[in-house]
Amino acid sequence: MRLGRSFIPFWFMALILTMLTGVSAMAGKNADTGPGEKNVPYKQISVGEYQNFLKNWDETKHPVLYALIRTPAQYDALFSPAATLWNKRAFAPAAEFYKTGQILLVGRVMMAPRDMDKVFEVERLTERDQELELHYRFIEPVANTWTTKIFLPLQIPRHLYRKVVFVENGKPVGELNMAKGQWSVPKMEKQQ
């Protein structure tokens, strides 16, 4: 009889320990930061959120387009509205958005994927000493008959950064020197 009573708490404790180990493992994955780094909260914006398209750039010279968009004018320099009949989606975020937020963006020209929101996968977004670092995976789509521009837009809190580093599949692909006014590569300007 005594064995039965101690047997139940043993299994109960084993179950609790297993659950706690799983939770701490998940927390460790989310908090994958180095010394002095802290995670930056973000929300991935759907590629279809706004009724627009990413403007052309010379992808042979710059295979990866990257930017930190802080104003409506910068957004307009990267995107063109795509008006269609009966579609009432906004062309861009409202100007008020930029009072508290900004958009971190990576783009590529590639074969058209089945799901545009699954081409890029954020691994981590961290900050240290006013430097922002985005680590993401690029999952190249299976060959298709046509190419398109796909991008990863992340809504992040408004903050002044001196530098932004972009790391794709474990390799640095570029950086922005925000301290010198560089907000996009290639340099994008609104055309009149």
Side-chain angles (χ1 to χ4, degrees):
M1 197 73 144
R2 189 173 175 128
L3 180 64
R5 283 190 216 168
S6 63
F7 185 70
I8 292 172
F10 171 76
W11 284 107
F12 181 74
M13 292 304 288
L15 177 65
I16 295 296
L17 185 60
T18 302
M19 289 172 52
L20 289 174
T21 304
V23 169
S24 63
M26 288 182 357
K29 183 177 181 186
N30 291 337
D32 189 18
T33 58
E37 287 182 332
K38 67 178 184 174
N39 287 318
V40 175
Y42 67 89
K43 175 188 167 213
Q44 186 168 340
I45 301 169
S46 172
V47 172
E49 178 80 16
Y50 300 105
Q51 194 172 323
N52 59 26
F53 59 90
L54 194 56
K55 291 181 180 176
N56 294 331
W57 74 92
D58 184 354
E59 72 270 7
T60 55
K61 188 174 179 182
H62 298 282
V64 180
L65 175 146
Y66 44 94
L68 181 60
I69 305 165
R70 299 180 47 80
T71 67
Q74 289 174 344
Y75 192 91
D76 291 345
L78 285 168
F79 290 92
S80 291
T84 58
L85 198 56
W86 298 299
N87 198 330
K88 302 293 184 204
R89 285 181 293 150
F91 294 127
E96 295 82 37
F97 165 83
Y98 297 100
K99 290 178 182 175
T100 59
Q102 54 194 350
I103 299 172
L104 187 62
L105 183 119
V106 175
R108 280 182 161 276
V109 176
M110 66 189 75
M111 299 306 287
R114 286 196 175 124
D115 188 344
M116 293 186 183
D117 286 321
K118 294 190 177 177
V119 172
F120 296 104
E121 182 181 295
V122 177
E123 293 178 330
R124 72 177 196 251
L125 181 61
T126 58
E127 118 179 57
R128 176 180 48 223
D129 299 329
Q130 290 187 300
E131 292 185 8
L132 185 65
E133 196 166 292
L134 172 63
H135 290 254
Y136 65 94
R137 286 180 35 86
F138 168 57
I139 303 150
E140 190 145 11
V142 177
N144 202 334
T145 56
W146 54 285
T147 60
T148 188
K149 294 177 291 261
I150 306 295
F151 52 95
L152 169 67
L154 300 176
Q155 176 183 333
I156 62 173
R158 188 166 181 88
H159 183 75
L160 293 175
Y161 294 105
R162 291 182 299 115
K163 183 165 89 171
V164 183
V165 177
F166 297 83
V167 181
E168 180 180 276
N169 299 338
K171 296 178 184 171
V173 290
E175 65 181 53
L176 298 171
N177 187 340
M178 301 295 293
K180 291 188 177 179
Q182 181 186 39
W183 65 272
S184 74
V185 169
K187 184 176 181 181
M188 303 292 274
E189 295 182 34
K190 188 170 181 178
Q191 296 157 350
Q192 307 298 339

